[in-house]
Amino acid sequence: MTGQKRKYENPMPQVDDGWWASVLAEENRASAPIPARSAGNRPEVHEEAKNAAPEKKVTANWAQVKDLYMRDQIIDLTVTGHNRGGLLVEGDGLYGFVPLSHLVELAGKTENAERDHSLENYIGRSLRLKVIECVPEDGRVVFSERAAQSEPGKRAELFHALQAGQKVQGIVTNITDFGVFIDLGGVEGLIHISELSWGRVTHPSQTVKMGATIDVQVMDLAPERCRVALSLKRLLPNPWQNASVEFPEGSVKNAVITSVLSFGVFARLEAGVEGLVHVSEIPQAEGRPLREILADGQEVQVRILHLDAAHQRLGLSMRHE
């Protein structure tokens, strides 16, 4: 990870507890729990993705868990079960959960059959882990195998070095529906889908690839969650800043269709600037499905109907005046 001076001055949005709460809610939904498969005769646990293990088993060990977290220490734990979100681990009086995205070998795997088989193979294995999240009030302890690849104390060092607005480099370790996780060298950062591009992003996999090394900008730090909010788009000029000059209302421009839907099509005028052509503004569509007459990648001419640059909204028409 290297710190660099910002190349562009794009204003950053407010990143507060509400922002983090909404992102964490999306993450919890993405790894919604199902009954875990457990080894031996040990009782099954049903809420591992949200709660590391039944609260009665971890309550007495919070001092130990917090000490491991604060000192950024590595511990060896044994895998005792799994669900679609990750692994159950325990040992030395500790119980917790390792999310799929924090397993070195499996981060980013999406095929259910292959993933479930791979998780099953972990049962009985010993993993070197670090505590990356401990929330006593929720009964949650989350461990990471990937974080344990960096030496003890590295997290505190990185959090001390990072600051909002800084340009850093990291490796894409997981891609989800709601964003991209980046390893900054011992601390995990998240690029929310809204921060990947100034334009519309249907899925983060369209923008980044697993294992790629990319430059990002730090938006906010949350040491208590061991998380860093990152942005990819804010290292690039905001094309909407000059949109009112480049695309005045009434002007006709060339565009490329990026998505065909039942109610209209989205068309890109330039990188990051897309607008909606409602079906009522497509004369050829009268009485016909749009997919029969238009396709992704097709070049068309559009007329600017209205522009709201502040909210990045653009209304287009394919009708002649």
Side-chain angles (χ1 to χ4, degrees):
M1 182 198 72
T2 57
Q4 300 179 27
K5 186 177 180 180
R6 281 177 287 177
K7 186 176 180 180
Y8 300 103
E9 294 292 338
N10 289 310
M12 287 188 287
Q14 181 70 27
V15 178
D16 53 18
D17 287 342
W19 188 93
W20 279 110
S22 65
V23 168
L24 292 172
E26 288 181 276
E27 183 176 356
N28 286 337
R29 284 196 295 272
S31 58
I34 58 174
R37 299 171 184 172
S38 304
N41 296 318
R42 197 168 167 272
E44 291 188 348
V45 182
H46 295 272
E47 295 186 357
E48 298 85 359
K50 183 176 180 181
N51 302 304
E55 189 173 352
K56 64 181 179 180
K57 292 185 178 181
V58 297
T59 303
N61 297 298
W62 283 117
Q64 183 182 4
V65 171
K66 288 183 177 179
D67 183 61
L68 287 169
Y69 175 78
M70 295 304 295
R71 293 190 296 117
D72 196 30
Q73 292 296 296
I74 296 173
I75 187 171
D76 293 321
L77 298 176
T78 301
V79 179
T80 58
H82 74 88
N83 67 10
R84 67 185 176 193
L87 300 174
L88 290 172
V89 293
E90 63 179 71
D92 194 26
L94 294 174
Y95 301 81
F97 181 69
V98 185
L100 186 70
S101 61
H102 283 269
L103 293 170
V104 174
E105 297 176 9
L106 299 188
K109 283 202 172 183
T110 57
E111 295 297 329
N112 290 336
E114 180 184 0
R115 179 186 60 197
D116 290 346
H117 177 70
S118 298
L119 288 172
E120 189 76 32
N121 289 336
Y122 271 87
I123 293 179
R125 287 173 54 180
S126 177
L127 299 180
R128 288 174 59 78
L129 305 167
K130 280 186 181 181
V131 178
I132 60 168
E133 191 174 353
C134 54
V135 187
E137 56 269 29
D138 292 341
R140 183 167 69 239
V141 183
V142 181
F143 293 92
S144 171
E145 183 185 32
R146 196 172 66 241
Q149 292 185 297
S150 62
E151 65 270 20
K154 185 66 173 178
R155 179 177 60 213
E157 178 185 329
L158 284 171
F159 270 109
H160 180 73
L162 292 171
Q163 56 183 314
Q166 184 180 7
K167 179 181 176 181
V168 296
Q169 193 174 81
I171 299 173
V172 177
T173 54
N174 195 25
I175 300 174
T176 72
D177 291 341
F178 62 87
V180 177
F181 289 93
I182 308 293
D183 182 4
L184 301 177
V187 170
E188 183 171 74
L190 170 66
I191 312 175
H192 190 264
I193 188 171
S194 62
E195 290 296 323
L196 286 170
S197 172
W198 291 109
R200 226 171 27 93
V201 177
T202 304
H203 193 274
S205 59
Q206 297 176 324
T207 306
V208 299
K209 301 299 180 184
M210 279 291 298
T213 298
I214 62 174
D215 292 330
V216 292
Q217 186 179 71
V218 177
M219 292 172 56
D220 186 63
L221 303 170
E224 70 282 1
R225 296 187 177 97
C226 195
R227 287 285 173 82
V228 183
L230 303 171
S231 176
L232 185 61
K233 73 181 186 182
R234 293 177 192 281
L235 292 177
L236 304 171
N238 183 352
W240 290 93
Q241 288 182 336
N242 297 318
S244 57
V245 176
E246 297 290 333
F247 311 111
E249 293 184 4
S251 62
V252 176
K253 301 290 182 179
N254 293 324
V256 176
I257 293 176
T258 57
S259 185
V260 180
L261 305 168
S262 60
F263 56 85
V265 301
F266 282 95
R268 184 179 66 245
L269 279 69
E270 69 169 58
V273 177
E274 291 186 28
L276 173 65
V277 187
H278 190 267
V279 64
S280 62
E281 294 294 333
I282 304 175
Q284 310 97 304
E286 296 174 356
R288 300 175 61 189
L290 287 180
R291 291 192 179 277
E292 288 185 2
I293 58 175
L294 297 171
D296 293 359
Q298 183 175 341
E299 295 184 1
V300 294
Q301 277 201 331
V302 296
R303 181 164 51 87
I304 313 298
L305 292 180
H306 52 81
L307 172 67
D308 181 357
H311 295 92
Q312 299 182 11
R313 294 173 182 169
L314 181 62
L316 306 171
S317 174
M318 290 173 60
R319 292 184 179 276
H320 298 295
E321 288 187 289

